C-alpha cells in the first residue's frame, strides 16, 4: 500500500458533485490504484517478475501496464502481444551501464556504441524524460520497458510536468516493486491520484455514472495527445474502460 486509506471527504469537503454513492465509487477507484497486487488478465503474473529479474536492480518503482498486461476490448493476448513496463531508478547512468552489460541487444547499435552517459542524457533531457527499449523478445512474448529517473518521476507525479508516467498511473497497472524506504514516493503516488480525481470531477455533471467517471480518469493523459488525432485508436479510452471496469471499481 502507498499509504493508509484516506476518505474522499477529506479531499473534497462539501463538494456538491460527491453524493454518498459517488464518494464510495471514487474511494473504490482510489484504493484500486493503490493496490500493489492486482489480478492479471492477459499474462501470468510470474512472467513480469522474470522480466524484472533479467534487468538491473537499483529500482525505486517498477510496474507493468497496457494491453499485454490487462485486457482491452477487442484485443486478446497472442505471442505478438507486448507487455509494457516502466522502471524508475535513482541513477540512470549506472542502470544503463549495467543493462548494456546484461542486455546489449536491447539497444540499437548506434545508441549502444554511444554508451550509458549519452543514453542517460537523451533520457533526462528530452520528451517525457523516459528512455524506451521496445520490441524485445522475451520467452514466448515481447516486452517494452521505459526507464525514468526517480527525480523526474517525482516531478511528474507532483506537478504533471509531462503527464506521461503520472497519467499512466491513473489507469490499471501492476506495481511490481516499490521502494518502501522512500516516503516522498509514497506521497507522490497518492498526490497524483488525488489530483486526477479532482480534475476528473471538474469535468463531470452533477450526476454521473461509474463509467463516465472512469472515462474521465482514463482520458486525462490523452488530452492534447496528438497521437489521438493521427495513428492512435480513437476508441482507445473506451476500450480500456469497457474491458477493465472491475479493475477501476476496486
Amino acid at each position: 500500500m502507498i499509504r493508509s486509506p484516506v476518505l474522499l471527504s477529506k479531499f473534497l469537503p462539501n463538494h456538491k458533485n460527491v453524493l454518498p454513492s459517488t464518494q464510495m465509487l471514487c474511494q473504490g477507484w482510489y484504493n484500486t490504484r493503490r493496490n500493489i497486487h492486482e489480478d492479471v488478465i492477459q499474462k501470468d503474473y510470474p512472467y513480469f517478475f522474470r522480466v524484472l529479474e533479467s534487468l538491473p536492480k537499483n529500482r525505486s518503482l517498477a510496474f507493468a501496464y497496457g494491453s499485454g498486461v490487462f485486457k482491452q476490448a477487442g484485443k486478446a493476448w497472442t505471442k505478438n502481444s507486448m507487455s509494457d513496463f516502466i522502471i524508475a531508478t535513482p541513477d540512470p547512468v549506472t542502470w544503463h551501464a549495467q543493462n548494456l552489460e546484461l542486455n546489449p541487444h536491447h539497444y540499437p547499435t548506434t545508441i549502444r556504441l554511444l554508451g550509458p552517459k549519452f543514453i542517460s542524457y537523451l533520457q533526462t533531457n528530452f520528451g517525457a524524460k523516459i528512455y524506451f527499449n521496445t520490441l524485445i523478445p522475451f520467452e514466448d512474448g515481447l516486452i517494452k520497458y521505459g526507464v525514468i529517473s526517480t527525480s523526474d518521476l517525482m516531478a511528474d507525479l507532483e506537478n504533471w510536468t509531462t503527464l506521461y508516467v503520472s497519467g499512466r498511473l491513473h489507469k490499471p497497472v501492476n506495481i511490481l516493486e516499490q521502494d518502501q524506504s522512500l516516503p516522498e514516493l509514497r506521497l507522490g503516488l497518492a498526490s497524483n491520484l488525488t489530483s486526477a480525481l479532482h480534475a476528473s470531477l471538474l469535468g463531470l455533471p452533477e450526476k454521473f455514472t461509474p463509467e463516465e467517471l472512469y472515462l474521465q480518469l482514463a482520458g486525462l493523459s490523452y488530452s492534447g495527445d496528438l497521437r489521438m488525432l493521427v495513428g492512435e485508436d480513437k476508441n482507445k479510452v473506451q476500450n480500456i474502460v469497457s474491458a477493465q471496469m472491475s479493475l477501476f471499481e476496486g
Side-chain angles (χ1 to χ4, degrees), residues 54-59 89 91-104 106-107 115-116 119 145:
S54 73
L55 299 171
K57 311 300 182 186
N58 195 23
R59 302 181 288 254
T89 176
D91 186 352
V93 174
T94 299
W95 197 95
H96 285 296
Q98 293 173 348
N99 201 35
L100 283 166
E101 293 183 5
L102 290 170
N103 303 295
H106 288 190
Y107 296 83
I119 296 171
Y145 60 91

Side-chain angles (χ1 to χ4, degrees), residues 149-171:
S149 73
T150 305
S151 59
D152 286 333
L153 170 64
M154 289 301 307
D156 197 32
L157 291 174
E158 295 174 352
N159 302 311
W160 287 3
T161 51
T162 68
L163 202 56
Y164 190 90
V165 178
S166 57
R168 180 62 261 175
L169 287 163
H170 299 160
K171 297 174 276 292

Side-chain angles (χ1 to χ4, degrees), residues 210-221:
E211 185 175 17
E212 287 173 329
L213 172 62
Y214 304 147
L215 286 169
Q216 283 285 116
L217 289 163
L220 284 175
S221 62

Side-chain angles (χ1 to χ4, degrees), residues 2 7 31 76 87 91 141 154 191 236 242:
I2 295 170
L7 292 176
N31 286 337
I87 296 166
D91 186 352
M154 289 301 307
S191 174
K236 184 170 185 176
S242 296

